[in-house]
Amino acid sequence: MKKTLLTLAILSTASSAYADEGMWMPQQLPQVAKQLKAAGLKLDPAKLTKLTEFPMGAIVSLGGCSASFVSPQGLVITNHHCVYNSVAVNSTPEKDLLANGFLAKSFAEELPASPGSRIFVTKDVSNVSTKVISPDVAKLAGKARIDAMEKNEKSLVAECEKDPGHRCTVASYYGGLEFYLIKQLEIRDVRLVHAPPAGVGKFGGDTDNWMWPRHTGDYGFYRAYVSKDGKAADYSKDNVPYVPVHYLKVAKQGVKEGDFIMVAGYPGRTNRHRLPSEVAYTFDQNYPAFIKTSGETLAIIERETKNDPAAKLKYAGQVAGVNNYYKNRKGMLTSYEGSDFLARKTKEHADLKAWVNANPARQKEYAADIDAVEKLIADRDAQTMRDWYLMSSSPRLLGAARTMYRLSNEMAKPDAERKSGYQERDLPRFKASVAGIDRTYDPKVDKALVMNSLVKYAAQPAASRSANFDAAVGIKDGMTEAQLSALLDAMYAKTTLNDPKVRAEWLTKKPADFKASNDPFIKAAVAMYDGSMKKEADDEELAGKIQQSYANYMKAKIAYMNSKGQAVYPDANSTLRVTFGKIAGRDHGADGTGSWTAFTTVKGVQAKATGEGEFNAPAAQLAAIKAKDFGKYVDPILKTVPVNYLATLDITGGNSGSAALNANGELIGLAFDGTLDSIISDWDFNKANTRDIQVDSRYILWNMKHVDKADNLIKEMGAE
């Protein structure tokens, strides 16, 4: 591969990198081979760069979570919270799979996963930086630059997707400094195979979320299906299990503290290269607003679904997701408050600018863009806060109507000229999303959520509101809560979009059909369209300026860090990464006297179990623990079955479900969480504090065999 700034930085500074810091692209691993070997890896680091060979060929993405193949018949293991929504949409009050768990004893018993579920198998990654920002694009600015970049990206994607059944994307690194084309097999027929009861998979619930000690069996299974000729295909009873080239084997030998551990997965976002102003905006404005809104959302859903079991199941997935980030952001703020993070970030940025200005050539190349990006980012962040209540004031069916009308307008153009996200390649997801609304939507709950934001939005001065939205919905200055509620009631009462058949029909209609409609949500979508397009153009003008300046700022930062002998790894961006370290507890407590042991065991499950709520462990599990029915899953040191363990791995959201591998590349568990006082590492990595949490493969197998009787799956994995 062509050496990029990123690669050159690592080549010259690899010896200074911490083994447990950094989310490395697989292509980079030979550059940290010495650290990998010193940490205990027995595989050849060069083999980890080959995405179609073992073990990387077994690692997959679910488009939000990570996962891996664990059998030659397309069996996929991931976290329970990653299959949670699929369990929820297949549940009813009469047959509550969330509470009781689900196990398919045969292929025929497997259930379709939630609408739009995908399994992505990475096949190739290539550097396309000079193809995205070609010499002619480099001369452009603002929206013209964004449009030209998008045109180049769409061309690259279209060429890549000439291979049927594959999904290709162009990922941006370092704020638009580098770009990589990623080719993935897109498996569209995904089925739920096994999930333990919530009393195992979500044991401890939100009380234990981001906490240690932890006792959560956060695992679940999907299966990938393809057509009989091995091609990606929509759901069909005639489809057959996908046969992966490589799959992981469960380690026969258990792990202990101090052992090497490596995680491969798809981390979502980290922010370690952000500007000081971005840090201040996030922690002083964005996160506090998010926490307030999330708390209100959770309370509203609880109130509106309290006596409605069906509605509660529909919103179970959203509640789990909101709760997760609600606690995450609160933990971030707690770590930030009283810290010197912003002061350090400010000093680092000042030192960078001093280094740039100390040399005329560097000053000429970088100084103007560094100054520009600070102002541009501030403008963007201020706009985000102005639109805060607007973003959550739209009924869900209005959002669907706006998306469908945009799709209708885009489909009138040749495919190559459509906006990214609205091309032929995107239609299957649109159809699945529109069809699946009913499974996660209740009008009464939706209106209550919308009203919570709409009242606050409407109370703002007109200059702070969107005239486009106001006109479409009918909002005027001084409207009371009762008047706003009446506006919504009329829209909800008169719409026909509650009917999935009607929604499906709108996916095929022309713009003229939308303009002629009397459906209130369709009418509002049409009324908002021109204003939305203008705002999108304004946003892209700003985005183009930011991309140009931010990329050059990052180029300066890489050069500066390299000059100081520091390794530079890219922030996470939902692409395949590898992180490695060791299994380890840690000191804990303000005075340093407390400590966290590396492992928890089933004794803790027994001690925490209350028989209700978040700690409602299944009776069969508690009976097995009491009887010490542990089989071969007893740890020789702990003298019982381990549940979760800590490691010094650098992970974040998106890593959920990532395979934890030992020195030989064998499965030893699944990463699923971090600890509350270390999650600020998304912004500010702390080597001493950072720990992530894995569910031990021995606990997974023990629970499958001795509690859920999933012997068929254990046999399939070759883990008898």
Side-chain angles (χ1 to χ4, degrees):
M1 178 180 291
K2 179 181 176 182
K3 290 178 181 177
T4 61
L5 277 169
L6 176 149
T7 309
L8 289 171
I10 293 169
L11 277 167
S12 61
T13 61
S15 61
S16 66
Y18 288 126
D20 49 358
E21 177 179 357
M23 300 176 183
W24 306 98
M25 297 170 67
Q27 304 95 301
Q28 299 174 251
L29 293 177
Q31 313 307 327
V32 288
K34 289 183 179 178
Q35 292 95 305
L36 277 163
K37 286 294 186 181
L41 179 68
K42 294 179 182 177
L43 299 174
D44 179 359
K47 288 197 67 175
L48 300 179
T49 68
K50 298 175 181 177
L51 304 181
T52 57
E53 296 188 13
F54 179 84
M56 303 309 293
I59 308 302
V60 300
S61 169
L62 302 180
C65 280
S66 302
S68 50
F69 288 118
V70 286
S71 91
Q73 294 177 301
L75 188 66
V76 170
I77 191 169
T78 186
N79 284 157
H80 179 271
H81 72 263
C82 296
V83 305
Y84 191 87
N85 202 46
S86 292
V87 183
V89 300
N90 281 292
S91 292
T92 64
E94 297 75 29
K95 191 175 181 181
D96 191 343
L97 303 183
L98 278 178
N100 302 318
F102 172 74
L103 171 65
K105 286 285 191 177
S106 67
F107 293 162
E109 293 179 5
E110 294 171 0
L111 299 173
S114 57
S117 294
R118 296 290 188 271
I119 293 173
F120 297 97
V121 187
T122 300
K123 294 295 185 179
D124 187 53
V125 177
S126 56
N127 189 332
V128 293
S129 301
T130 58
K131 294 180 180 179
V132 173
I133 304 182
S134 52
D136 57 324
V137 173
K139 299 174 185 176
L140 301 174
K143 187 177 188 306
R145 185 182 183 93
I146 289 293
D147 289 343
M149 289 171 60
E150 182 180 323
K151 182 179 179 181
N152 288 344
E153 290 177 10
K154 286 192 294 188
S155 177
L156 289 164
V157 166
E159 181 64 29
C160 178
E161 290 185 352
K162 286 182 179 178
D163 190 355
H166 288 79
R167 184 82 174 182
C168 301
T169 55
V170 176
S172 169
Y173 295 75
Y174 293 121
L177 178 61
E178 294 186 355
F179 297 86
Y180 285 77
L181 177 66
I182 301 169
K183 180 179 181 180
Q184 296 175 308
L185 177 66
E186 181 183 19
I187 295 174
R188 305 193 299 272
D189 187 351
V190 182
R191 303 186 196 179
L192 179 65
V193 178
H194 174 47
V200 174
K202 209 172 182 296
F203 185 79
D206 297 313
T207 299
D208 275 4
N209 193 21
W210 304 105
M211 306 302 286
W212 188 261
R214 196 74 178 273
H215 301 84
T216 308
D218 204 344
Y219 69 90
F221 292 87
Y222 279 144
R223 193 181 304 278
Y225 279 80
V226 292
S227 63
K228 289 182 178 178
D229 60 358
K231 305 293 185 182
D234 292 328
Y235 175 87
S236 170
K237 62 181 179 58
D238 296 324
N239 285 349
V240 296
Y242 172 71
V243 179
V245 178
H246 298 285
Y247 59 92
L248 301 178
K249 294 185 178 180
V250 182
K252 301 292 185 184
Q253 185 72 33
V255 291
K256 62 183 183 304
E257 187 163 13
D259 280 357
F260 172 88
I261 183 173
M262 173 174 66
V263 152
Y266 292 80
R269 287 286 182 272
T270 52
N271 304 283
R272 294 175 196 160
H273 296 305
R274 296 292 186 176
L275 293 161
S277 60
E278 292 180 278
V279 173
Y281 158 73
T282 299
F283 287 91
D284 294 341
Q285 298 182 63
N286 185 275
Y287 282 179
F290 177 90
I291 290 167
K292 183 176 185 299
T293 301
S294 296
E296 291 168 354
T297 295
L298 292 169
I300 290 166
I301 294 175
E302 171 63 25
R303 182 189 75 216
E304 297 297 325
T305 65
K306 188 174 183 180
N307 299 311
D308 189 342
K312 187 178 287 290
L313 283 172
K314 286 184 176 184
Y315 283 84
Q318 181 177 341
V319 167
V322 173
N323 258 319
N324 188 48
Y325 281 101
Y326 178 57
K327 196 166 186 176
N328 174 293
R329 300 302 188 245
K330 289 177 74 174
M332 291 262 200
L333 281 185
T334 299
S335 295
Y336 178 75
E337 291 167 358
S339 75
D340 65 345
F341 175 34
L342 181 58
R344 281 187 286 107
K345 200 72 171 169
T346 301
K347 183 179 184 304
E348 289 169 7
H349 191 61
D351 291 346
L352 165 63
K353 293 171 76 171
W355 178 80
V356 166
N357 291 321
N359 178 285
R362 293 197 297 262
Q363 186 178 42
K364 181 179 179 181
E365 184 174 4
Y366 303 127
D369 280 320
I370 292 176
D371 289 339
V373 76
E374 292 177 296
K375 181 180 184 304
L376 292 167
I377 291 293
D379 290 345
R380 184 196 66 188
D381 291 343
Q383 181 175 304
T384 299
M385 290 312 298
R386 281 197 302 271
D387 292 343
W388 185 262
Y389 291 124
L390 174 63
M391 290 186 290
S392 52
S393 292
S394 176
R396 186 163 172 196
L397 292 182
L398 174 56
R402 294 181 67 188
T403 299
M404 292 188 292
Y405 184 51
R406 176 67 183 275
L407 177 64
S408 179
N409 280 278
E410 293 294 336
M411 288 181 71
K413 308 172 188 175
D415 192 58
E417 296 177 17
R418 298 178 195 172
K419 190 70 177 174
S420 292
Y422 293 89
Q423 295 178 282
E424 291 293 330
R425 66 197 291 266
D426 303 302
L427 292 183
R429 284 210 158 190
F430 276 116
K431 292 176 181 176
S433 176
V434 167
I437 286 176
D438 296 331
R439 298 188 179 194
T440 55
Y441 170 80
D442 180 274
K444 174 172 60 76
V445 180
D446 190 66
K447 184 199 167 187
L449 291 170
V450 172
M451 275 297 298
N452 181 58
S453 294
L454 192 63
V455 169
K456 297 166 186 171
Y457 165 79
Q460 298 176 118
S464 298
R465 304 198 307 264
S466 165
N468 186 34
F469 179 74
D470 287 1
V473 177
I475 295 173
K476 296 180 176 62
D477 285 342
M479 292 188 85
T480 65
E481 183 172 345
Q483 289 172 319
L484 292 170
S485 182
L487 275 181
L488 287 186
D489 283 341
M491 298 183 83
Y492 282 97
K494 295 177 183 178
T495 187
T496 59
L497 294 182
N498 288 306
D499 187 337
K501 291 182 180 179
V502 172
R503 292 196 303 270
E505 289 171 359
W506 279 109
L507 287 174
T508 65
K509 291 184 182 292
K510 306 294 184 185
D513 299 319
F514 282 81
K515 292 177 181 177
S517 174
N518 285 319
D519 186 289
F521 288 133
I522 298 290
K523 288 176 69 175
V526 172
M528 294 178 70
Y529 184 74
D530 289 342
S532 297
M533 295 304 293
K534 182 182 183 304
K535 184 178 187 306
E536 182 177 288
D538 292 342
D539 290 345
E540 289 179 346
E541 179 68 23
L542 178 59
K545 294 175 181 177
I546 290 175
Q547 187 279 326
Q548 190 172 12
S549 296
Y550 212 108
N552 208 32
Y553 153 68
M554 283 306 309
K555 186 177 179 182
K557 186 172 182 180
I558 289 172
Y560 171 58
M561 293 174 71
N562 198 11
S563 75
K564 299 201 306 175
Q566 293 181 7
V568 183
Y569 52 83
D571 266 324
N573 62 351
S574 299
T575 61
L576 185 59
R577 303 296 179 89
V578 177
T579 177
F580 60 99
K582 64 180 180 179
I583 296 173
R586 55 164 272 207
D587 290 334
H588 179 67
D591 58 2
T593 58
S595 64
W596 284 345
T597 57
F599 287 84
T600 59
T601 73
V602 292
K603 292 179 181 177
V605 174
Q606 189 176 40
K608 286 182 176 179
T610 62
E612 59 185 22
E614 296 174 320
F615 297 93
N616 187 19
Q621 186 190 58
L622 293 175
I625 296 172
K626 184 177 181 180
K628 297 186 178 180
D629 184 14
F630 301 145
K632 62 181 181 180
Y633 304 109
V634 174
D635 181 277
I637 298 172
L638 302 172
K639 308 299 184 186
T640 187
V641 179
V643 178
N644 299 147
Y645 58 86
L646 296 171
T648 63
L649 299 177
D650 190 359
I651 71 166
T652 189
N655 270 121
S656 291
S658 293
L661 307 175
N662 64 14
N664 295 310
E666 298 168 325
L667 186 71
I668 54 174
L670 300 171
F672 73 93
D673 209 354
T675 58
L676 199 59
D677 65 345
S678 70
I679 54 177
I680 199 172
S681 65
D682 278 5
W683 291 80
D684 183 31
F685 189 88
N686 184 310
K687 179 177 170 62
N689 280 2
T690 299
R691 294 292 186 274
D692 79 313
I693 306 173
Q694 282 70 221
V695 55
D696 196 303
S697 58
R698 290 169 290 183
Y699 182 64
I700 296 173
L701 292 174
W702 171 76
N703 202 75
M704 289 172 69
K705 183 171 183 62
H706 291 263
V707 181
D708 288 333
K709 313 302 181 186
D711 298 78
N712 57 314
L713 299 182
I714 294 174
K715 182 178 181 180
E716 182 180 339
M717 291 189 291
E720 306 99 314

